[in-house]
PDB file of all heavy atoms in Angstrom:
ATOM      1  N   LYS A 111     -45.419  12.670  -8.472  1.00 96.00           N
ATOM      2  CA  LYS A 111     -45.848  11.270  -8.215  1.00 96.00           C
ATOM      3  C   LYS A 111     -44.688  10.464  -7.616  1.00 96.00           C
ATOM      4  O   LYS A 111     -43.534  10.779  -7.764  1.00 96.00           O
ATOM      5  CB  LYS A 111     -46.304  10.637  -9.514  1.00 96.00           C
ATOM      6  CG  LYS A 111     -47.397  11.388 -10.261  1.00 96.00           C
ATOM      7  CD  LYS A 111     -48.675  11.425  -9.480  1.00 96.00           C
ATOM      8  CE  LYS A 111     -49.716  12.229 -10.228  1.00 96.00           C
ATOM      9  NZ  LYS A 111     -50.926  12.427  -9.454  1.00 96.00           N
ATOM     10  N   GLN A 112     -45.068   9.373  -6.952  1.00 96.00           N
ATOM     11  CA  GLN A 112     -44.084   8.481  -6.385  1.00 96.00           C
ATOM     12  C   GLN A 112     -44.335   7.035  -6.806  1.00 96.00           C
ATOM     13  O   GLN A 112     -45.427   6.661  -7.157  1.00 96.00           O
ATOM     14  CB  GLN A 112     -44.105   8.570  -4.846  1.00 96.00           C
ATOM     15  CG  GLN A 112     -45.285   7.882  -4.198  1.00 96.00           C
ATOM     16  CD  GLN A 112     -45.177   7.815  -2.675  1.00 96.00           C
ATOM     17  OE1 GLN A 112     -44.239   8.289  -2.120  1.00 96.00           O
ATOM     18  NE2 GLN A 112     -46.162   7.221  -2.072  1.00 96.00           N
ATOM     19  N   VAL A 113     -43.248   6.277  -6.771  1.00 97.00           N
ATOM     20  CA  VAL A 113     -43.261   4.862  -7.065  1.00 97.00           C
ATOM     21  C   VAL A 113     -42.507   4.203  -5.929  1.00 97.00           C
ATOM     22  O   VAL A 113     -41.371   4.632  -5.597  1.00 97.00           O
ATOM     23  CB  VAL A 113     -42.613   4.570  -8.450  1.00 97.00           C
ATOM     24  CG1 VAL A 113     -42.485   3.050  -8.656  1.00 97.00           C
ATOM     25  CG2 VAL A 113     -43.381   5.215  -9.553  1.00 97.00           C
ATOM     26  N   LEU A 114     -43.065   3.167  -5.314  1.00 97.00           N
ATOM     27  CA  LEU A 114     -42.398   2.457  -4.217  1.00 97.00           C
ATOM     28  C   LEU A 114     -41.840   1.128  -4.693  1.00 97.00           C
ATOM     29  O   LEU A 114     -42.508   0.344  -5.376  1.00 97.00           O
ATOM     30  CB  LEU A 114     -43.362   2.224  -3.090  1.00 97.00           C
ATOM     31  CG  LEU A 114     -43.964   3.463  -2.389  1.00 97.00           C
ATOM     32  CD1 LEU A 114     -44.997   3.067  -1.332  1.00 97.00           C
ATOM     33  CD2 LEU A 114     -42.855   4.327  -1.818  1.00 97.00           C
ATOM     34  N   VAL A 115     -40.547   0.891  -4.350  1.00 97.00           N
ATOM     35  CA  VAL A 115     -39.852  -0.352  -4.820  1.00 97.00           C
ATOM     36  C   VAL A 115     -39.614  -1.198  -3.599  1.00 97.00           C
ATOM     37  O   VAL A 115     -38.927  -0.809  -2.670  1.00 97.00           O
ATOM     38  CB  VAL A 115     -38.513   0.035  -5.515  1.00 97.00           C
ATOM     39  CG1 VAL A 115     -37.783  -1.247  -5.922  1.00 97.00           C
ATOM     40  CG2 VAL A 115     -38.740   0.939  -6.691  1.00 97.00           C
ATOM     41  N   TYR A 116     -40.191  -2.417  -3.645  1.00 96.00           N
ATOM     42  CA  TYR A 116     -40.024  -3.403  -2.569  1.00 96.00           C
ATOM     43  C   TYR A 116     -39.020  -4.464  -3.034  1.00 96.00           C
ATOM     44  O   TYR A 116     -39.123  -4.951  -4.169  1.00 96.00           O
ATOM     45  CB  TYR A 116     -41.343  -4.081  -2.244  1.00 96.00           C
ATOM     46  CG  TYR A 116     -42.383  -3.133  -1.722  1.00 96.00           C
ATOM     47  CD1 TYR A 116     -43.164  -2.354  -2.571  1.00 96.00           C
ATOM     48  CD2 TYR A 116     -42.597  -3.005  -0.335  1.00 96.00           C
ATOM     49  CE1 TYR A 116     -44.128  -1.497  -2.053  1.00 96.00           C
ATOM     50  CE2 TYR A 116     -43.552  -2.126   0.166  1.00 96.00           C
ATOM     51  CZ  TYR A 116     -44.323  -1.369  -0.727  1.00 96.00           C
ATOM     52  OH  TYR A 116     -45.261  -0.503  -0.233  1.00 96.00           O
ATOM     53  N   SER A 117     -38.051  -4.823  -2.175  1.00 96.00           N
ATOM     54  CA  SER A 117     -37.063  -5.804  -2.540  1.00 96.00           C
ATOM     55  C   SER A 117     -36.579  -6.535  -1.287  1.00 96.00           C
ATOM     56  O   SER A 117     -36.938  -6.192  -0.168  1.00 96.00           O
ATOM     57  CB  SER A 117     -35.874  -5.124  -3.263  1.00 96.00           C
ATOM     58  OG  SER A 117     -35.080  -4.435  -2.305  1.00 96.00           O
ATOM     59  N   ASN A 118     -35.711  -7.538  -1.555  1.00 96.00           N
ATOM     60  CA  ASN A 118     -35.110  -8.248  -0.437  1.00 96.00           C
ATOM     61  C   ASN A 118     -33.870  -7.519   0.097  1.00 96.00           C
ATOM     62  O   ASN A 118     -33.228  -8.071   0.997  1.00 96.00           O
ATOM     63  CB  ASN A 118     -34.765  -9.691  -0.854  1.00 96.00           C
ATOM     64  CG  ASN A 118     -33.693  -9.748  -1.934  1.00 96.00           C
ATOM     65  OD1 ASN A 118     -33.526  -8.800  -2.698  1.00 96.00           O
ATOM     66  ND2 ASN A 118     -33.006 -10.881  -2.001  1.00 96.00           N
ATOM     67  N   ALA A 119     -33.542  -6.342  -0.390  1.00 94.00           N
ATOM     68  CA  ALA A 119     -32.375  -5.599   0.061  1.00 94.00           C
ATOM     69  C   ALA A 119     -32.680  -4.754   1.321  1.00 94.00           C
ATOM     70  O   ALA A 119     -31.792  -4.507   2.100  1.00 94.00           O
ATOM     71  CB  ALA A 119     -31.828  -4.737  -1.038  1.00 94.00           C
ATOM     72  N   THR A 120     -33.913  -4.317   1.429  1.00 88.00           N
ATOM     73  CA  THR A 120     -34.305  -3.446   2.583  1.00 88.00           C
ATOM     74  C   THR A 120     -35.656  -3.878   3.083  1.00 88.00           C
ATOM     75  O   THR A 120     -36.426  -4.446   2.339  1.00 88.00           O
ATOM     76  CB  THR A 120     -34.369  -1.956   2.175  1.00 88.00           C
ATOM     77  OG1 THR A 120     -35.411  -1.792   1.191  1.00 88.00           O
ATOM     78  CG2 THR A 120     -33.059  -1.447   1.640  1.00 88.00           C
ATOM     79  N   GLU A 121     -35.913  -3.592   4.343  1.00 89.00           N
ATOM     80  CA  GLU A 121     -37.237  -3.887   4.905  1.00 89.00           C
ATOM     81  C   GLU A 121     -38.268  -2.880   4.422  1.00 89.00           C
ATOM     82  O   GLU A 121     -39.401  -3.225   4.124  1.00 89.00           O
ATOM     83  CB  GLU A 121     -37.187  -3.910   6.419  1.00 89.00           C
ATOM     84  CG  GLU A 121     -36.402  -5.085   6.954  1.00 89.00           C
ATOM     85  CD  GLU A 121     -36.358  -5.137   8.460  1.00 89.00           C
ATOM     86  OE1 GLU A 121     -37.284  -4.558   9.099  1.00 89.00           O
ATOM     87  OE2 GLU A 121     -35.440  -5.741   9.010  1.00 89.00           O
ATOM     88  N   ALA A 122     -37.872  -1.628   4.322  1.00 91.00           N
ATOM     89  CA  ALA A 122     -38.787  -0.571   3.910  1.00 91.00           C
ATOM     90  C   ALA A 122     -38.672  -0.370   2.417  1.00 91.00           C
ATOM     91  O   ALA A 122     -37.601  -0.580   1.825  1.00 91.00           O
ATOM     92  CB  ALA A 122     -38.427   0.747   4.634  1.00 91.00           C
ATOM     93  N   PRO A 123     -39.769   0.028   1.793  1.00 95.00           N
ATOM     94  CA  PRO A 123     -39.647   0.276   0.334  1.00 95.00           C
ATOM     95  C   PRO A 123     -38.840   1.544   0.051  1.00 95.00           C
ATOM     96  O   PRO A 123     -38.783   2.452   0.878  1.00 95.00           O
ATOM     97  CB  PRO A 123     -41.127   0.483  -0.109  1.00 95.00           C
ATOM     98  CG  PRO A 123     -41.822   0.917   1.120  1.00 95.00           C
ATOM     99  CD  PRO A 123     -41.105   0.235   2.274  1.00 95.00           C
ATOM    100  N   LEU A 124     -38.194   1.570  -1.104  1.00 96.00           N
ATOM    101  CA  LEU A 124     -37.487   2.751  -1.548  1.00 96.00           C
ATOM    102  C   LEU A 124     -38.407   3.569  -2.445  1.00 96.00           C
ATOM    103  O   LEU A 124     -39.183   3.021  -3.208  1.00 96.00           O
ATOM    104  CB  LEU A 124     -36.214   2.374  -2.275  1.00 96.00           C
ATOM    105  CG  LEU A 124     -35.167   1.650  -1.445  1.00 96.00           C
ATOM    106  CD1 LEU A 124     -33.982   1.216  -2.304  1.00 96.00           C
ATOM    107  CD2 LEU A 124     -34.654   2.549  -0.341  1.00 96.00           C
ATOM    108  N   GLU A 125     -38.242   4.865  -2.358  1.00 97.00           N
ATOM    109  CA  GLU A 125     -39.136   5.762  -3.105  1.00 97.00           C
ATOM    110  C   GLU A 125     -38.455   6.371  -4.305  1.00 97.00           C
ATOM    111  O   GLU A 125     -37.366   6.877  -4.177  1.00 97.00           O
ATOM    112  CB  GLU A 125     -39.597   6.895  -2.147  1.00 97.00           C
ATOM    113  CG  GLU A 125     -40.602   7.845  -2.685  1.00 97.00           C
ATOM    114  CD  GLU A 125     -41.023   8.874  -1.684  1.00 97.00           C
ATOM    115  OE1 GLU A 125     -40.168   9.674  -1.240  1.00 97.00           O
ATOM    116  OE2 GLU A 125     -42.222   8.908  -1.334  1.00 97.00           O
TER     117      GLU A 125
END
Side-chain angles (χ1 to χ4, degrees):
K111 305 294 179 187
Q112 73 173 2
V113 173
L114 298 177
V115 178
Y116 297 84
S117 75
N118 65 335
T120 63
E121 290 182 24
L124 295 175
E125 184 178 63

